[in-house]
Amino acid sequence: MAKILMKGNEAIGAAAIKAGCKYFFGYPITPQNELPEFMSKELPKVDGVFVQAESEVAAINMVYGGAGTGARVMTSSSSPGIALKQEGITYIAGAELPCVIVNISRGGPGLGGIQPSQADYFQSTRGGGNGDYRVLVYAPASLQEAVDLVIEAFDVADYYRNPVMVVGDGMIGQMMEPVEFKEPATKRDLPVKDWATTGTEGKRKPNIINSLALDPEELEKHNIKLDKKYKEMEEKEVRYEMYKMEDAEVVMVAYGTTARIVKNAVDALEKEGIKVGLIRPITLWPFPHKAFKEIPATAKALLSVEMSMGQMIDDIKIANEGRLPVEFYGRAGGMIPTPEAIVAKVKDILGGGK
């Protein structure tokens, strides 16, 4: 299939439809508005349904209901809108329902601004809902990767019966790049949705979907079951990229579009004879701890580069296990790091470079 030049938000919507998404429930917020707009036009063409809800809270609860029927459902929002959805997300995770949630994030806290940001790392990887639940989180660095991960996210959600979140900053939503729509790289044996509330037709007992369990022993058993599923995700679903790690003196860690900027800095430093590498988490949760075991002995420090005030540092320190000092360079509030500033930070860490 030939590549098509598309805007990020629209490419994500097209990928969802390619994956079989039939129902989209959302509410407008910049910088993701083109995504629901696209779905409102294109879903009816495939016998799907688009609903603009009265609020983000309503939208996520519509996702809860739609997912309960076994259909492929999706919602999208941006930062403060995702915050409003957190209660619904923990309900969906507790009820073990598959869905895909897209966050085209913006600067915060509070209403913040509409420029790109990565300040939703805590929100995405820790979650703002209650209880012991997890959501698998993808962080694409390009529109092609966003398309590929959205298509796969629906399979992953169905496989684990769990929400999957795709997090891209505002640049991912607004930039234009050529994309093609391919089948998922991983072929999964997806389970039959015999749990779905599709009507009994007098042929079976009713299915009941609920996240309420008043018996503490039963609730503990349910939490243990969920934890087993999350451990399987940690074992099988971790993704990351290693870039120019051989003999690296400084290893930078960055994800999403920031990682693309970091690669420019790595290449610029290489031309000056300074060896620097990059670990790029593709899954923010599960975090790629094992990538840090592949760091070469030449490394003197780690450098987290983020469009936030350093929310990924905790995970880097855990993965690092105290082996190397962890430094930070970031911009916040919608400001974007430049390759030149990153190069200067690396040289500062190395004492002026070479």
Side-chain angles (χ1 to χ4, degrees), residues 60 75-77 79 81-83 85-86 89-90 99-105 120-128 133-140 149-150 153-154 156-157 162-168 282-285:
I60 195 64
T75 189
S76 69
S77 192
S79 304
I82 296 292
K85 295 177 189 282
Q86 293 295 331
I89 293 171
T90 183
C99 69
V100 173
I101 302 157
V102 174
N103 180 6
I104 303 299
S105 58
D120 291 350
Y121 185 92
F122 286 156
Q123 181 192 65
S124 304
T125 60
R126 272 59 177 173
Y133 77 99
R134 287 288 194 176
V135 173
L136 194 144
V137 183
Y138 290 124
L149 290 176
V150 166
F154 282 94
V156 173
N162 203 74
V164 174
M165 185 174 287
V166 180
V167 177
I282 299 172
T283 51
L284 301 186
W285 194 89

Side-chain angles (χ1 to χ4, degrees), residues 153-225:
F154 282 94
D155 279 359
V156 173
D158 279 349
Y159 184 82
Y160 289 103
R161 286 182 60 185
N162 203 74
V164 174
M165 185 174 287
V166 180
V167 177
D169 62 77
M171 282 191 284
I172 287 286
Q174 296 298 318
M175 70 169 64
M176 296 187 73
E177 288 183 332
V179 297
E180 59 181 329
F181 298 90
K182 302 172 287 186
E183 296 299 318
T186 303
K187 298 293 184 182
R188 299 175 188 268
D189 186 13
L190 299 179
V192 175
K193 296 181 178 180
D194 54 8
W195 45 264
T197 53
T198 55
T200 67
E201 297 181 342
K203 298 176 182 178
R204 60 168 173 79
K205 292 182 179 180
N207 288 333
I208 298 174
I209 293 174
N210 192 12
S211 66
L212 176 67
L214 295 178
D215 183 334
E217 291 185 358
E218 288 301 314
L219 185 55
E220 184 182 47
K221 288 179 183 177
H222 183 57
N223 274 279
I224 291 169
K225 177 188 175 186

Side-chain angles (χ1 to χ4, degrees), residues 247-253 261-270 272-278 299-305 327-330 338-354:
D247 299 327
E249 296 180 82
V250 174
V251 174
M252 293 190 272
V253 188
I261 299 168
V262 167
K263 284 183 177 180
N264 287 334
V266 170
D267 294 344
L269 286 160
E270 184 180 45
E272 296 184 37
I274 302 172
K275 292 189 175 182
V276 180
L278 167 67
K300 300 174 183 178
L302 299 174
L303 173 60
S304 181
V305 183
E327 304 287 343
F328 170 70
Y329 177 77
T338 64
E340 294 78 13
I342 297 167
V343 165
K345 180 66 177 180
V346 169
K347 289 181 176 180
D348 182 62
I349 291 170
L350 293 173
K354 296 182 179 179

